[in-house]
Amino acid sequence: MFGFAKITEKGALGRVLLISKEAYAAACGKKPEANVPVLLDMLSKVLSHCGDENEPITALLEPLKLELKTKHKAFYKKTKKYFKRGCFVPEYDYDRALGFIPLMLFGNDRICEKLASGEADKARSMCDAMKSCPGYILDEFGALSPEQFYDLVFGFYPKLYDEEFMEPMKHLFK
């Protein structure tokens, strides 16, 4: 794997969430540093294995690292620190985090749909909102209630574009 002490599923998920945060931030710009649909698909593939005992995400970190290293060199340079031994993952509630993985998968799918339909501005707005989600899952927004976080982060999109984005996931913030 990484040649050092075994990483826990909690630690692996924390690393993938930190990488996801970087991916959304990189995708917000006018000229994304990576192929955004491919990058989000890679991350969704890993996230979809959260809680899977047969293929845990700890087993998917090395393939993710290699894929980033070969297909997304510029992005890998920004995120290689998350694959290193000394990577600091904030303390967070793993069970709570598992409940928000569908949010990440849904958001990634919606972003890719917008990119496929040529709606890059909408996809960038979605990425701008989604870049706060990993931080929320890692308990970085303790001062906000779940409802406040949802309204602050996802409330602007329907107002800007007169269409829904994360409304089907709003129940997660109750």
Side-chain angles (χ1 to χ4, degrees), residues 1 18 23 26 53 65 68 83 89 109 114 118 140 149 158 160:
M1 179 146 136
L18 292 170
E53 293 177 12
K65 175 184 172 182
L68 287 176
F83 295 100
V89 176
D109 286 348
K114 291 299 178 190
E140 292 176 7
F149 178 83
L160 279 176

Side-chain angles (χ1 to χ4, degrees), residues 2 16 23 25 29 37 40 46 61 76 83 85 88 100 103 107 118-119 136 140 149 169 172 174:
F2 284 88
V16 175
L40 294 181
V46 174
L61 280 179
Y76 174 72
F83 295 100
R85 177 184 302 204
F88 172 75
F100 283 101
L103 171 87
E119 298 175 280
Y136 178 76
E140 292 176 7
F149 178 83
M169 296 285 125
L172 296 174
K174 298 289 179 193

Side-chain angles (χ1 to χ4, degrees), residues 5 16 35 41 51 56 69 77 97 120:
V16 175
N35 182 333
D41 186 51
K69 200 173 189 178
K77 287 180 184 177

Side-chain angles (χ1 to χ4, degrees), residues 8-20 57 82 87-90 92 94 138:
T8 64
E9 278 295 288
K10 181 179 178 179
L13 176 57
R15 290 168 187 250
V16 175
L17 290 171
L18 292 170
I19 294 166
S20 296
I57 60 173
Y82 301 122
C87 173
F88 172 75
V89 176
Y92 69 100
Y94 177 74
L138 293 170

Side-chain angles (χ1 to χ4, degrees), residues 31-88:
K31 286 184 152 184
E33 301 163 18
N35 182 333
V36 176
V38 171
L39 182 59
L40 294 181
D41 186 51
M42 288 169 39
L43 292 168
S44 287
K45 179 182 174 186
V46 174
L47 288 169
S48 68
H49 286 273
C50 287
D52 183 348
E53 293 177 12
N54 296 323
E55 190 172 14
I57 60 173
T58 53
L60 300 173
L61 280 179
E62 187 65 23
L64 176 64
K65 175 184 172 182
L66 294 174
E67 199 165 345
L68 287 176
K69 200 173 189 178
T70 57
K71 294 182 181 175
H72 303 281
K73 288 179 173 68
F75 182 73
Y76 174 72
K77 287 180 184 177
K78 285 182 153 185
T79 59
K80 67 182 177 181
K81 62 188 171 195
Y82 301 122
F83 295 100
K84 293 186 176 183
R85 177 184 302 204
C87 173
F88 172 75

